Amino acid sequence: LKWAGSFLTLVGQIKKDSKSGEAPTWSYVLQSTEGNIGGEDNGMKSAPIEVFHAVGKILPESNALKVSNAVLRASGAQLSINGDFITGDRETAGVKLEARLTKGTSPILKSFWPRSVAPRAREWSRSHLRTVQSLNGEMQFLSGIYAQTNTISNTSKLNETLIMDFNAEKVEFLPWNKSQQIFAPEVSLRIKDDDVDISIPEAFILSENTKNLVLKDGRFYAKGIDDLE
């Protein structure tokens, strides 16, 4: 598999589960033998994939792929994934994806986040989160038949819903373009669709010319990521 400067070589087994006369179903078990994640597309050096394994099912009649307990580990960070993927027209297609990231960094987040998932939130994270030393949290992404609202701008014309809740340590970020850079020992970040909510117990506005300004109990909120541009 190759995508956006990354690659993954897989081995495994696919076997038919259904009996004669039943709708065909197949189960699979996959693991990596080698791979790299990152590259020029993510503005970072590629990192070797230490572990990848996944199990799930393929349901050809419903154009569905189910992923259970997929694990991707690189540079000490781990992404755990469960999800359902259904291809087809607008009335039948959809994605239900639940993921958990542990011990992540800003480059790893950029690499793990697919282009097709909430692209505006992805772009904001790529351009505004400068450095993150430790990122832990969960994400839920729903599209098509699994989503309830159409609040994310996208080119697929499918309804999409995104919820991300992360706790981070040693964070440097720009709340909006042309703002002063802020450093915070601890940050809570929530992205819901295109809304951003950042809570900071203590932070420092970094300045080259004057003494850093200390902030206490800070919060940055934007109803619409574009408001932070």
Side-chain angles (χ1 to χ4, degrees), residues 56-220:
K57 290 186 176 295
I58 302 170
L59 293 79
E61 284 199 356
S62 55
N63 297 320
L65 172 69
K66 293 183 176 293
V67 178
S68 302
N69 300 319
V71 172
L72 173 62
R73 191 180 303 146
S75 295
Q78 179 169 301
L79 183 68
S80 304
I81 302 171
N82 291 280
D84 294 337
F85 303 83
I86 302 176
T87 61
D89 56 29
R90 185 174 182 179
E91 286 71 30
T92 60
V95 173
K96 179 171 66 174
L97 179 65
E98 296 179 347
R100 180 171 182 80
L101 178 65
T102 56
K103 298 182 180 179
T105 61
S106 48
I108 286 296
L109 178 64
K110 294 174 183 180
S111 297
F112 282 3
W113 195 332
R115 286 182 177 183
S116 58
V117 174
R120 291 169 67 199
R122 177 182 183 269
E123 184 57 33
W124 181 88
S125 299
R126 285 166 60 88
S127 60
H128 288 72
L129 293 179
R130 297 301 176 85
T131 61
V132 179
Q133 293 298 318
S134 180
L135 185 67
N136 300 278
E138 298 178 347
M139 180 193 81
Q140 182 185 65
F141 176 73
L142 307 173
S143 76
I145 61 173
Y146 295 109
Q148 298 178 352
T149 60
N150 187 15
T151 56
I152 300 178
S153 299
N154 61 84
T155 58
S156 66
K157 298 181 180 180
L158 294 176
N159 295 338
E160 293 183 355
T161 301
L162 171 72
I163 299 176
M164 299 178 65
D165 287 296
F166 285 106
N167 293 313
E169 298 177 0
K170 299 181 180 178
V171 180
E172 291 187 15
F173 73 101
L174 297 176
W176 53 85
N177 286 347
K178 299 181 181 179
S179 67
Q180 292 289 100
Q181 189 158 298
I182 291 177
F183 169 79
E186 297 180 359
V187 169
S188 294
L189 170 65
R190 180 177 176 85
I191 297 177
K192 186 177 186 302
D193 299 326
D194 283 327
D195 300 342
V196 179
D197 194 343
I198 304 172
S199 297
I200 308 170
E202 183 181 53
F204 305 88
I205 299 178
L206 305 181
S207 174
E208 295 180 358
N209 302 319
T210 62
K211 187 176 180 179
N212 294 339
L213 179 64
V214 180
L215 296 177
K216 296 285 189 178
D217 298 321
R219 184 186 180 203
F220 297 88

